[in-house]
Amino acid sequence: MFNVLSRLADMKLPPIGRLFSWGPILILSIMGFLTYMVFYFVEMWWVPSQSVGGMVHITVYCITTLSSLCWFLTASFTGPGRVPRGWTPPNEAAVEYLQYCNTCKAYKAPRSLHCKKCGFCVKKLDHHCPWINICVGHDNHLYFAIFLTFTLLACFQAAIVVTTCLYHAINRGWYIQQGLQPVISLSSSRLMLTMFATGLAVGAVVAAVFLLHGQLTGFIKNFTEIEGWVLEKAKYRRRAAGLPAFVYPYDMGWKENLKLLLARDFDGLWWPVRKGCSPKEMMDEQKAQKKDRESRFFVCNVSDEYDGARVPLAAYPRAALAPPLSLAPRLPLRLGDCVRVLVDGPQWMFGVKLTTEGQETGKRGWFPRAAVYTEEDLEDAQIDAQTDTQTHTITNALTVKTKSA
Ligand SMILES: [Zn+2]
Ligand SMILES: [Zn+2]
């Protein structure tokens, strides 16, 4: 008895708190809402208690939805896997090129990255997922893909149910006239709700297909979302620099890649590489790309204050109509502030605030482009002003000439 109690005391509770964030709440609400709509409609459309087909249909839906929920919780609670504190590479030479993380007090294992939101170095970081409210990495990558697969199946079935019932409800008169079944009657508020559910289900299917396609491609070629971007950029960078094509060191062939994905005893810290390759090559490529990127950074000054509003309709209407598709914070600006611009868009910029000595403050985020001016803008304004002055002088001279004539 005492043993059982002590074992229960040793058991770790799942990190339930992780679910209390807008991402998981939204996902669970969508799942709940679509399930409610499916159950509401099957009673009118394909009644489970009246046919085997109807029973199979609703059973399949319940299985896919419950599986989606289980894998969602598994992906979130398992977490991405962190690089252990004090980790050093098994190969001593790697200490030369691996970065050291001062927060985690460990070397950054190949393919790992420090996630600021999670607060630790994540093994084979794919991306930080707001829906499961934690990163997707080595430990939960497969679970995340299984969650997407079941979500796709459940949402596809829900989309068919709500779309068909919406069609029947809109054409109710015709079905009655023809004496065809089922006749679905909906009040105007229910009709609106069904339209909303249709949009939601179809949107979820499209999003799941898009995400799952990315994940499966990554599994077959053994690259993460971040590594995929690096490989894409490497193509253009190396072509422009006249360098030979980049050989991705972690692609061991699809069979070996899938074996590594499914091998639950592999810790995901020190990855095998292709013959003749080294993890250093990937890091060198990333460093070269970072250098390229940094050479394009520039500093700008604040010309109009910005209060950090996500939709600054009154102050910056153009920017408000084209907000950046990013959850990153907005950066409030005051007159006299200086910002280093890291991403330069047509309406919004992403940057980091600088001190008066030109050091980065750590405060970073998006702000409207119209709130700042760059050295280039200043030069353009000076040229315009000079042109205006010259035009003005010429016009004056011409006026005087005409008068005297
Ligand atoms: Zn770290
Ligand atoms: Zn994270």
Side-chain angles (χ1 to χ4, degrees):
M1 180 69 183
F2 180 75
N3 263 353
V4 174
L5 283 177
S6 69
R7 262 192 205 174
L8 278 175
D10 286 347
M11 262 175 67
K12 265 193 171 177
L13 282 172
I16 303 276
R18 200 168 284 162
L19 301 179
F20 294 98
S21 168
W22 69 266
I25 290 172
L26 194 62
I27 282 282
L28 295 173
S29 308
I30 292 173
M31 274 186 193
F33 173 63
L34 288 180
T35 304
Y36 164 74
M37 292 305 280
V38 168
F39 272 83
Y40 176 76
F41 280 124
V42 288
E43 282 303 321
M44 289 192 262
W45 178 50
W46 204 355
V47 187
S49 57
Q50 288 175 7
S51 72
V52 178
M55 184 55 83
V56 171
H57 171 257
I58 200 69
T59 309
V60 169
Y61 181 77
C62 289
I63 292 172
T64 49
T65 305
L66 282 175
S67 304
S68 166
L69 178 67
C70 286
W71 289 106
F72 167 81
L73 296 175
T74 310
S76 181
F77 292 162
T78 304
R82 60 170 75 196
V83 176
R85 216 176 166 77
W87 182 82
T88 50
N91 175 355
E92 264 184 38
V95 171
E96 295 293 319
Y97 59 82
L98 287 182
Q99 286 179 317
Y100 187 80
C101 177
N102 283 318
T103 314
C104 303
K105 303 277 179 256
Y107 280 93
K108 285 185 185 172
R111 311 188 74 191
S112 74
L113 278 172
H114 185 91
C115 172
K116 280 188 183 159
K117 288 187 185 118
C118 294
F120 55 84
C121 281
V122 174
K123 292 192 278 185
K124 198 193 80 172
L125 172 65
D126 189 72
H127 66 284
H128 181 90
C129 177
W131 309 113
I132 61 169
N133 195 23
I134 197 158
C135 273
V136 173
H138 173 70
D139 289 3
N140 62 353
H141 209 166
L142 183 62
Y143 305 151
F144 181 72
I146 301 174
F147 154 64
L148 284 180
T149 309
F150 280 113
T151 306
L152 173 60
L153 293 174
C155 289
F156 183 66
Q157 203 174 346
I160 289 175
V161 173
V162 286
T163 314
T164 312
C165 291
L166 182 65
Y167 180 80
H168 277 257
I170 291 171
N171 298 295
R172 184 172 165 270
W174 185 83
Y175 277 92
I176 293 173
Q177 206 180 40
Q178 301 292 317
L180 292 171
Q181 287 293 329
V183 174
I184 291 176
S185 315
L186 292 175
S187 63
S188 50
S189 59
R190 280 276 170 193
L191 194 68
M192 295 290 280
L193 205 63
T194 311
M195 282 180 181
F196 177 63
T198 307
L200 207 59
V202 173
V205 169
V206 173
V209 166
F210 179 72
L211 286 170
L212 194 60
H213 173 261
Q215 294 295 320
L216 295 181
T217 313
F219 287 163
I220 290 167
K221 297 186 174 168
N222 195 17
F223 62 69
T224 62
E225 198 178 308
I226 296 166
E227 287 161 346
W229 296 335
V230 174
L231 295 180
E232 200 55 33
K233 279 183 203 156
K235 268 190 222 164
Y236 301 107
R237 191 190 77 80
R238 293 173 83 96
R239 200 180 297 152
L243 294 166
F246 180 65
V247 179
Y248 179 57
Y250 301 111
D251 184 3
M252 311 286 291
W254 69 271
K255 274 189 195 166
E256 199 55 36
N257 293 342
L258 291 182
K259 256 192 222 170
L260 280 168
L261 176 78
L262 300 171
R264 290 292 90 191
D265 54 343
F266 173 53
D267 64 7
L269 286 165
W270 192 255
W271 287 79
V273 287
R274 285 166 80 137
K275 223 175 178 181
C277 289
S278 141
K280 186 174 180 294
E281 285 149 29
M282 185 69 184
M283 285 177 191
D284 287 346
E285 177 58 36
Q286 278 169 301
K287 273 183 204 161
Q289 288 185 13
K290 194 178 173 200
K291 215 172 163 188
D292 263 18
R293 224 171 24 246
E294 281 174 357
S295 69
R296 289 195 293 271
F297 293 169
F298 57 92
V299 174
C300 61
N301 299 290
V302 174
S303 55
D304 291 297
E305 297 208 342
Y306 165 58
D307 61 3
R310 288 203 170 249
V311 187
L313 208 55
Y316 302 99
R318 278 174 168 231
L321 294 174
L325 297 173
S326 161
L327 299 170
R330 304 305 187 246
L331 186 68
L333 300 173
R334 301 188 73 82
L335 286 176
D337 281 348
C338 248
V339 189
R340 175 167 290 134
V341 178
L342 313 179
V343 180
D344 182 13
Q347 293 299 334
W348 291 81
M349 285 172 157
F350 184 88
V352 55
K353 248 187 216 184
L354 301 178
T355 61
T356 42
E357 290 81 33
Q359 299 297 315
E360 291 191 3
T361 58
K363 287 179 190 162
R364 50 177 60 211
W366 292 94
F367 54 89
R369 200 180 204 288
V372 295
Y373 65 92
T374 61
E375 288 298 320
E376 223 172 77
D377 292 337
L378 206 61
E379 275 169 26
D380 286 349
Q382 277 167 352
I383 292 166
D384 285 349
Q386 275 171 7
T387 318
D388 278 354
T389 319
Q390 280 167 6
T391 317
H392 190 67
T393 317
I394 293 166
T395 318
N396 275 352
L398 282 173
T399 318
V400 171
K401 236 182 174 181
T402 320
K403 274 183 185 171
S404 60

